[in-house]
Amino acid sequence: MKKTIISALLVSAAICANAQNMDDALTFSENHYEGTARSMALGNAMTALGGDLGSIGINPAGSAVSNFSQFTITPSISMSAMTSSYSPDVYTDHYGAVEASRTKFTMPNIGFNFVWDTYRKHGLKSMAFGFISNTTRNYNSNMSSWGENGNSSMFQTYAYDAWGYTPDMLNSFSSSAPWDYSVAYQSGLISKVSGTDDYVGVTEIVTGLPDGSLDFKVPGILEQGYGRRTAGTKQDIVMNFGMNFDDRLFLGVNLGMPTFEYALDEGYRENPVNKEEFSFDYDDMGTVFLSEARKDYSYRASATGIYAKFGIIWLPFKGLRLGAAYQTPTQFEIEEKYQVSGSTVIMRGQGGLRDYYDAQSPVGEYSYYLYAPSRFNVGAAYTIGRSALVSVDYERANYGRMKYDDLPYDGTYVNGDFPKTNEYMREHGAAQSMLRAGVEFKPVQAFAIRGGYTQMSNSVVDFKAATRSYAFGVGYSSPGSFFMDYVVRMTNHPDSYFTPYTDCISDSCEYTPEIRATKTTFDIALTLGFRF
């Protein structure tokens, strides 16, 4: 039960528009590094290695390791495969799996690094200047799930929760009524029970009891379907400066300007399995039957941020490299837009004539600050001449330090939920550990074979499942200026559990449906590079 309850709190099911929660903060704060094909093939264990433009976002000192300038561009194909299963209540085994996938073209790396030689034999031997963009999060996913449920309905819960809002309030998007309920009322998903203060869902029937009270219930089996698609990337754009002292000590600093575009579209529908069980009298149409009830939600977020990062690489003796880097907290300024829509389809008699009722909210807009936590990483690498290397990294970020704030900050909160959301994140955000490892072998000087592994612990307290990536790559370096690297990476994400709606009409919320989603992503990237 713990996984179900916590997940319901963390994951936005789009019940309330403009609701910044912990799941949103993690979505925008976590890093799942990509970069060049070489850095990905080595599991991004680049803290102590450097010399690659994919490493500079991990350790700024890496720009000073190379004795040549370079330009790289990395096109990539990103594939997301999700398998989901649906349970009509939290005590029931999941239904059969539904598979969905999504493929997108991405650009996980592009940039240049210019190395200036001081021509000194000792001391400061060279300086490096770079401008690089590396992807730190890919939001590409597609999910679909369905199941049958005769115990509860989303629109039954909407009708129950709409009590206290008048029809005039629900007919306006400028009142205090949540937009979900206003859309539901205006599209016929819920309606007023004549002579009472109650609302009834289009998936319910109302019967009178001997004591004069009313009984609301779902009269039959509903086929419930849920789909969600996300898209976008988070890019880490850095301006870098590095220094090489005696080819043994390398220092670097980044001014980071991360930016992201995130899109979420989700839809939820309910269809009667037996339409005759969902019949009711509707105005002057006589007896009609419910055909479909649907609710959709669209969300867009974009942001720019800023941070500073400092790094060091030290070669204490031949073959051994040690590295470390610290990144300050990132301040994001986020702009979001959102919209809710709903529709009801009813069928007249058995003739099949259908009537459509729909409504949609205005496009809401909101801006705010999000503070992502600081990061610290250390690494060690050992090179065997020019023929082989092994590298290991450790990175840590405490997601209990995430924080929302109003824009602009004036000492008060316009969004009254921010203080309690921040408190919740302090209690439930975990210190995430990231272990990265990579190996490289060169059977001949121009050709390299690489392998990498990454393991990320969960960023939520009490969740033990980890994210694991496995990578394999090859590289070619010409005698001239051209080089090329290729990688294939597979990432297994932990199962996620969430609910499209929460049925708490009964105290136990026992009929809340649950969806379990399993996600695997595949990345295929090719880096083309030129030295100069």
Side-chain angles (χ1 to χ4, degrees), residues 410-530:
D410 61 0
T412 61
Y413 285 98
V414 175
N415 187 326
D417 289 334
F418 277 171
K420 65 180 181 181
T421 302
N422 292 339
E423 178 62 28
Y424 182 87
M425 293 192 297
R426 282 192 292 271
E427 294 177 359
H428 295 278
Q432 182 187 74
S433 297
M434 187 183 300
L435 178 66
R436 305 187 290 259
V439 294
E440 179 180 88
F441 171 66
K442 290 185 176 181
V444 294
Q445 191 55 40
F447 183 73
I449 302 172
R450 306 177 181 113
Y453 173 76
T454 303
Q455 177 175 306
M456 296 170 52
S457 66
N458 210 288
S459 51
V460 180
V461 173
D462 295 330
F463 278 63
K464 304 302 181 185
T467 300
R468 294 179 172 87
S469 294
Y470 310 87
F472 172 79
V474 295
Y476 167 76
S477 180
S478 73
S481 65
F482 175 73
F483 61 95
M484 178 175 62
D485 298 299
Y486 174 80
V487 66
V488 177
R489 183 175 71 171
M490 180 184 73
T491 303
N492 294 324
H493 301 262
D495 287 356
S496 58
Y497 296 81
F498 61 96
T499 63
Y501 67 91
T502 302
D503 168 41
C504 288
I505 296 175
S506 58
D507 292 338
S508 64
C509 305
E510 61 181 330
Y511 297 127
T512 294
E514 181 184 84
I515 295 172
R516 179 183 64 194
T518 301
K519 179 181 178 181
T520 303
T521 56
F522 300 89
D523 298 288
I524 301 174
L526 175 68
T527 294
L528 303 175
F530 300 89

Side-chain angles (χ1 to χ4, degrees), residues 285-361:
M285 296 183 187
T287 300
V288 298
F289 303 89
L290 174 65
S291 179
E292 181 183 83
R294 185 177 181 90
K295 182 262 179 125
D296 294 281
Y297 177 69
S298 176
Y299 174 84
R300 302 290 184 270
S302 60
T304 56
I306 190 167
Y307 69 84
K309 192 164 191 174
F310 310 91
I312 181 173
I313 296 176
W314 177 45
L315 282 61
F317 54 83
K318 186 177 180 179
L320 180 64
R321 298 169 178 244
L322 303 175
Y326 170 77
Q327 179 177 309
T328 66
T330 303
Q331 177 184 285
F332 285 107
E333 183 177 326
I334 300 176
E335 298 179 358
E336 61 181 20
K337 296 182 179 180
Y338 46 90
Q339 188 173 40
V340 185
S341 59
S343 63
T344 302
V345 182
I346 60 174
M347 187 168 61
R348 302 190 197 186
Q350 298 295 333
L353 183 63
R354 286 173 167 79
D355 290 275
Y356 297 83
Y357 303 87
D358 58 71
Q360 65 180 20
S361 72

